[in-house]
Amino acid sequence: VHFSSVRCGVPVVQTLHNYRLLCPASTLSRDGRVCEDCLNKMYPWPAITHECYHHSRMASGALANMIFIHRVCATLNTSVSGFIALSEFARAKFIAAGLPGDRVTVKPNFVNSRSAMGDGKGKYALFVGRLAAEKGIGVLLKAWTKLNNDLSLLIAGDGPLASQINEGTAAHRSIQWLGWRSQKEVSALMEKAKVLILPSLWYEGFPLVVVEAFAAGLPVIASRIGTLAEVVTDRRTGLLFPPGNADDLAQAVNWSLAHPSELEAMRFEARREFDTKYTPKVNYEKLMRIYRSVCHDFHKRPDAVSV
């Protein structure tokens, strides 16, 4: 598709939703932690050794071959006119791996939310997401044993660590597992929650749950890692803590409850962040600017085809 589009005089813009061009698993993570073993290798052989894709050496080999062939043939550099990364963090990773920096533009995800700003009067913190090791579920449960307040923790989601959540709810009455919830139900939970917690241990792509929280005026307590450290502004739209540190997460939760006026200010800042950066209108305007710029640069190329 890329080659034929260029021959026909049509520029190609590729959105980099994940790290597939750098990592056969697409996540830059392994065993619930960050993994960059393949990042600077021409042939990403560690992915085969660790069976990173679908726990299969054969499947991992197929993805590794794809990445290798693209690198050898310089397909992406010659056939893609522009790339869209979801964050500055992701942009830097792709450029470090060889993509041309002048062709990688940042445009975050957005949500079409009509939610009114919540009041945060529910006596609970909220986690929404897949129950998996890389999401920091273990850190979250451990942190809740260290709190010196009666704030409840509501967990919405499902996944491979569901049994661990069951154990947590049995040991601590303040933890409640809601299972999978619809988008409407999640929005209602966000409007009443004190904070949203994202204790991720890996480089999130661009989690929409953060934007949904901002739309509801919900401050986010997140790991200081990857895109999360870029999207959540410490002490303005939420709080950041070192990834994997249950003690610091507990301290962040305790601080948020001990400073109600600061937390209320964060609610307004979170909503302002949504209105400024993450609405459909803002996203559309930015996307159109990217397309216009790519088309302009493409047709200035000496090898451009006139149609």
Side-chain angles (χ1 to χ4, degrees):
V1 173
H2 290 174
F3 285 128
S4 60
S5 296
V6 171
R7 284 199 301 267
C8 292
V10 179
V12 174
V13 177
Q14 180 171 352
T15 300
L16 305 167
H17 291 287
N18 56 40
Y19 297 103
R20 180 74 72 198
L21 301 182
L22 317 178
C23 165
S26 81
T27 59
L28 289 180
S29 69
R30 176 166 55 86
D31 298 331
R33 60 175 178 80
V34 170
C35 174
E36 298 184 352
D37 290 354
C38 295
L39 201 56
N40 296 313
K41 292 179 173 60
M42 189 67 173
Y43 188 89
W45 59 264
I48 302 174
T49 302
H50 298 296
E51 302 180 341
C52 291
Y53 185 69
H54 288 192
H55 306 291
S56 164
R57 289 194 175 185
M58 183 175 293
S60 299
L63 269 295
N65 288 339
M66 178 203 72
I67 293 171
F68 175 70
I69 291 170
H70 277 307
R71 288 175 178 170
V72 169
C73 298
T75 311
L76 300 171
N77 293 52
T78 58
S79 301
V80 180
S81 304
F83 299 90
I84 296 176
L86 302 183
S87 67
E88 291 290 349
F89 174 84
R91 179 179 185 269
K93 286 293 179 188
F94 283 109
I95 292 173
L99 290 189
D102 60 341
R103 278 188 260 162
V104 185
T105 307
V106 174
K107 183 192 72 62
N109 285 333
F110 72 100
V111 294
N112 187 17
S113 174
R114 295 181 175 84
S115 298
M117 182 172 164
D119 57 24
K121 292 184 178 180
K123 295 182 179 180
Y124 61 85
L126 181 65
F127 171 90
V128 178
R130 187 167 181 265
L131 307 183
E134 65 271 13
K135 291 290 188 177
I137 296 299
V139 178
L140 178 60
L141 295 178
K142 186 176 180 181
W144 230 253
T145 67
K146 301 174 180 291
L147 297 184
N148 56 13
N149 57 65
D150 59 354
L151 186 69
S152 296
L153 171 64
L154 302 189
I155 298 175
D158 205 347
L161 296 187
S163 60
Q164 190 172 333
I165 300 301
N166 272 329
E167 293 173 4
T169 57
H172 305 284
R173 292 183 179 180
S174 61
I175 301 175
Q176 183 180 356
W177 179 33
L178 306 177
W180 182 88
R181 285 292 184 267
S182 68
Q183 182 58 57
K184 184 177 180 180
E185 291 172 312
V186 168
S187 295
L189 289 168
M190 285 184 171
E191 290 175 7
K192 296 296 182 183
K194 293 290 185 187
V195 292
L196 179 78
I197 302 181
L198 271 76
S200 295
L201 304 175
W202 69 302
Y203 299 146
E204 297 271 2
F206 195 99
L208 287 176
V209 67
V210 176
V211 182
E212 292 164 353
F214 286 173
L218 177 60
V220 178
I221 299 178
S223 301
R224 191 188 298 273
I225 184 172
T227 298
L228 289 178
E230 178 182 332
V231 177
V232 178
T233 304
D234 196 35
R235 301 296 177 96
R236 188 174 75 82
T237 60
L239 299 170
L240 296 171
F241 69 96
N245 193 318
D247 289 327
D248 280 5
L249 171 54
Q251 289 176 18
V253 174
N254 284 330
W255 185 95
S256 67
L257 295 183
H259 297 81
S261 59
E262 287 90 339
L263 189 64
E264 184 66 12
M266 287 182 190
R267 299 189 70 84
F268 286 98
E269 288 297 322
R271 177 66 196 206
R272 182 179 301 168
E273 192 82 345
F274 171 75
D275 290 334
T276 303
K277 297 181 179 179
Y278 304 119
T279 65
K281 182 177 184 294
V282 171
N283 191 274
Y284 172 79
E285 291 172 349
K286 187 157 193 174
L287 184 62
M288 290 301 103
R289 286 196 298 270
I290 293 171
Y291 286 165
R292 285 193 292 269
S293 176
V294 167
C295 288
H296 176 267
D297 293 343
F298 178 82
H299 291 294
K300 284 175 58 180
R301 289 169 43 177
D303 59 340
V305 178
S306 297
V307 293

